[in-house]
Amino acid sequence: MSEPSPSAPPMEEVRSPLSDGEWHRMHPLTPLLRGGLFLLVVIGIVVANLRERLVALFIPDFSDEGEVPGDPVDYVLSNNLLLVAGLALLGTLVVLTVIFWVSWRFHTFRITGDDVEVRTGVFFRTHRRAPLDRVQGVNLTRPLVARLFGMAKLEVIGAGLDSNVKLEYLSTSNSETIRADILRLASGRRLGEASAAEGAVDAGSRVHQAANLVSAGITGIIEGEDLEAAEVESVVHIPAGRLAASRVLSTSTLGLLAFLAVVIVGAVIGEPWVLFAFVPALLGFGAYWVRSFVRSLRYSIAPTSGGVRITFGLFTTVSEILPPGRVHAVEVRQSLMWRPFGWWSIAVNRISGRAMTDAGTDQLTSVLPVGTRADVERVVRLLLPALPEDQLALVFEQGILGPAPGDPYATTPRRARVFRPLSWRRNGFLLTPDALFLRRGFIWRALGVFPLARMQSIRISQGPVDRALRVANLTANVVSGTVTTTVGVVDRDDALRAFEDAAQGIVAASAGDRTHRWAR
């Protein structure tokens, strides 16, 4: 029996044989899936050049009589080059096979007790490493083609810009088990157990500790399967009809209709520049609308031992586990058109680990596309487990639906309501020992919740008019995202008191925060 690698994680912490600290290769079909775009381009060129012959072969009634000028197949047949063409095709396939094989041989990964590492490249080598104590989440993505082959890819989200590590591709079963291993290793469980063991040395005997270890081992044998990777039922169910209606009653739909109206008017009055200018934008807007709808289908959100599992997507399925302590801001939103139906959406600010140019950087900011009040309350409890139960009223009764009698929020004073003529009673903030609440909007309601343990700092700013009216702007400095982090035109004295209290509250909340060790 071979000795385990010195960098191997503890055996009791992992379930997959690929999480043993040794270098392993990806699935053998990985080069084919990663080079899928190149193959599609080649197939498109072939089809474009042989389209007349393909039409004559499959639909002879629609083909033109006679020989197609410049047809490559006719040229090969007429010049008796069939053998040469076959050898050239065979050589191309051999070269592609060798390239794919070499790419697969040099594409390896390993999972140690401290890092997830990936090495790629033949001539230009790349070695990426994601420290486990910096892991912000793990995404499991199953594109449509990969799903047909029973494969998926993992994306380990790091804490820096363009710091993610991708394991593409693995079998679906291996992907799910490895993801559970990574989350278990990143949970801080080992640090907590080591600390507890040190305390137990003084409090108990060595015999008692050995008995605990034997008991834990027997329990692991009896439990057998990895329960953390098991499917968990979603706490929210979004009917397809509600999702479609919410997209129709959205601002993006209004923009799409406006573009369409401009194009129709331009076509009627005979202005060609309107068509050239707006038709591409209309197509892009329409594609975005359809993609946002399809991406929200099959949505689910559920609690697991590793964090909150969020799954969505019809063709390309994305499943992310968002560990506790990785949510830096939560915002509940409601537009005017959704108000009669009682619908809300939820967005978060979190570290994506991707480059700013990555098209998928904001795909996981929306954690609830549309939901009822009961849905929102369940999701808020999942995303903010440290928020006391008595503060949930601050989210709905006083936050989204407020102001209510006894409103605890500090709002815009009457002397400055000209800058918030509709929302001056709603526009405000509230600081508690656990979080900062920012409430704003009358037509488009929104409430931002910022856990103090995740905030970097708090800022007050004033302009000349603000100073004259004795008001200020309050900003919570957290990681960037779609959540609005500023509330403006609040009383200056209230903002100053919040500034002082928040500075102390952030230090106290950060010192007492243990959400990075969620496995405990």
Side-chain angles (χ1 to χ4, degrees):
M1 184 175 180
S2 60
E3 291 293 330
S5 170
S7 59
M11 295 302 296
E12 66 274 9
E13 294 290 334
V14 297
R15 303 290 185 270
S16 172
L18 302 179
S19 306
D20 58 358
E22 301 291 344
W23 290 101
H24 298 277
R25 295 186 178 90
M26 303 292 179
H27 194 283
L29 292 180
T30 291
L32 180 64
L33 294 176
R34 296 186 70 192
L37 181 60
F38 171 75
L39 293 179
L40 289 177
V41 171
V42 172
I43 293 173
I45 294 174
V46 172
V47 171
N49 284 279
L50 302 179
R51 60 184 182 276
E52 290 86 0
R53 182 165 294 278
L54 293 174
V55 170
L57 178 63
F58 294 103
I59 316 176
D61 295 337
F62 288 88
S63 62
D64 295 332
E65 296 292 335
E67 191 174 292
V68 180
D71 189 284
V73 176
D74 288 333
Y75 178 81
V76 170
L77 295 177
S78 61
N79 291 276
N80 197 24
L81 298 175
L82 189 59
L83 179 60
V84 176
L87 292 175
L89 180 60
L90 179 61
T92 302
L93 292 177
V94 170
V95 170
L96 288 176
T97 302
V98 171
I99 292 175
F100 282 179
W101 182 82
V102 172
S103 173
W104 171 74
R105 288 279 300 179
F106 285 86
H107 190 181
T108 58
F109 75 96
R110 73 172 177 179
I111 300 172
T112 70
D114 301 307
D115 307 283
V116 178
E117 302 176 63
V118 174
R119 296 189 305 196
T120 57
V122 180
F123 300 106
F124 300 95
R125 300 284 286 163
T126 301
H127 189 166
R128 299 183 68 90
R129 176 183 292 125
L132 291 172
D133 59 351
R134 293 291 185 269
V135 170
Q136 303 296 310
V138 183
N139 298 347
L140 191 151
T141 305
R142 300 178 64 198
L144 179 60
V145 177
R147 288 167 61 187
L148 298 177
F149 292 96
M151 297 166 60
K153 62 180 178 180
L154 287 179
E155 183 177 9
V156 182
I157 300 176
L161 185 63
D162 194 20
S163 61
N164 292 0
V165 172
K166 298 180 181 180
L167 279 63
E168 50 182 355
Y169 285 83
L170 302 166
S171 66
T172 302
S173 58
N174 281 337
S175 299
E176 292 175 347
T177 309
I178 290 174
R179 175 170 69 172
D181 289 345
I182 294 173
L183 289 169
R184 195 179 299 109
L185 293 170
S187 67
R189 174 186 297 177
R190 288 179 299 144
L191 295 176
E193 290 178 349
S195 176
E198 290 176 2
V201 170
D202 299 329
S205 65
R206 297 285 183 179
V207 176
H208 183 67
Q209 296 174 48
N212 288 338
L213 290 175
V214 172
S215 175
I218 294 175
T219 302
I221 294 174
I222 295 174
E223 290 179 352
E225 62 174 327
D226 182 12
L227 299 177
E228 295 184 13
E231 192 66 29
V232 183
E233 184 179 359
S234 175
V235 301
V236 172
H237 300 279
I238 304 178
R242 182 200 299 169
L243 184 61
S246 68
R247 290 297 174 265
V248 171
L249 299 174
S250 64
T251 54
S252 59
T253 302
L254 296 178
L256 186 64
L257 294 177
F259 270 112
L260 183 60
V262 170
V263 170
I264 293 175
V265 171
V268 170
I269 64 177
E271 293 290 340
W273 66 269
V274 175
L275 299 180
F276 285 108
F278 285 92
V279 168
L282 177 63
L283 295 177
F285 218 147
Y288 167 79
W289 192 94
V290 173
R291 185 170 63 251
S292 64
F293 172 73
V294 172
R295 192 178 63 187
S296 300
L297 292 172
R298 298 179 62 186
Y299 165 89
S300 69
I301 182 169
T304 68
S305 59
V308 180
R309 174 179 291 175
I310 305 170
T311 304
F312 56 86
L314 180 62
F315 302 117
T316 297
T317 303
V318 179
S319 176
E320 183 202 21
I321 296 246
L322 185 59
R326 269 45 175 184
V327 177
H328 293 256
V330 177
E331 186 173 63
V332 184
R333 304 166 178 168
Q334 184 188 57
S335 68
L336 180 63
M337 293 177 289
W338 286 10
R339 197 170 302 172
F341 305 96
W343 295 341
W344 289 267
S345 65
I346 297 181
V348 298
N349 278 9
R350 54 181 295 274
I351 297 176
S352 67
R354 296 178 176 177
M356 299 300 294
T357 56
D358 194 329
T361 299
D362 61 343
Q363 70 173 354
L364 294 172
T365 58
S366 177
V367 296
L368 180 63
V370 58
T372 62
R373 171 173 177 171
D375 296 335
V376 171
E377 289 180 341
R378 285 192 288 265
V379 173
V380 168
R381 284 190 179 96
L382 292 180
L383 297 176
L384 300 172
L387 193 67
E389 192 71 20
D390 58 352
Q391 293 188 17
L392 287 177
L394 301 175
V395 175
F396 256 100
E397 300 299 336
Q398 299 288 358
I400 289 295
L401 301 178
D407 182 24
Y409 282 73
T411 60
T412 299
R414 288 180 176 272
R415 60 181 179 273
R417 62 182 178 180
V418 64
F419 295 103
R420 298 290 189 273
L422 299 178
S423 63
W424 68 277
R425 292 183 182 273
R426 279 185 45 83
N427 187 72
F429 68 91
L430 174 65
L431 181 66
T432 70
D434 304 287
L436 174 67
F437 298 81
L438 301 184
R439 186 181 68 187
R440 68 182 196 284
F442 177 78
I443 299 177
W444 280 274
R445 295 175 173 176
L447 175 73
V449 184
F450 304 85
L452 295 186
R454 304 272 78 81
M455 285 177 57
Q456 304 299 312
S457 62
I458 190 169
R459 183 176 76 247
I460 294 180
S461 59
Q462 280 185 311
V465 178
D466 295 330
R467 288 195 292 270
L469 294 175
R470 302 192 311 281
V471 295
N473 307 309
L474 192 68
T475 301
N477 292 322
V478 295
V479 298
S480 60
T482 61
V483 175
T484 302
T485 59
T486 299
V487 62
V489 199
V490 294
D491 186 81
R492 181 195 61 188
D493 295 335
D494 292 338
L496 288 174
R497 281 191 294 270
F499 182 84
E500 296 294 336
D501 294 341
Q504 300 175 12
I506 291 173
V507 174
S510 300
D513 180 47
R514 292 295 181 269
T515 54
H516 58 289
R517 296 184 181 179
W518 62 86
R520 298 184 64 185

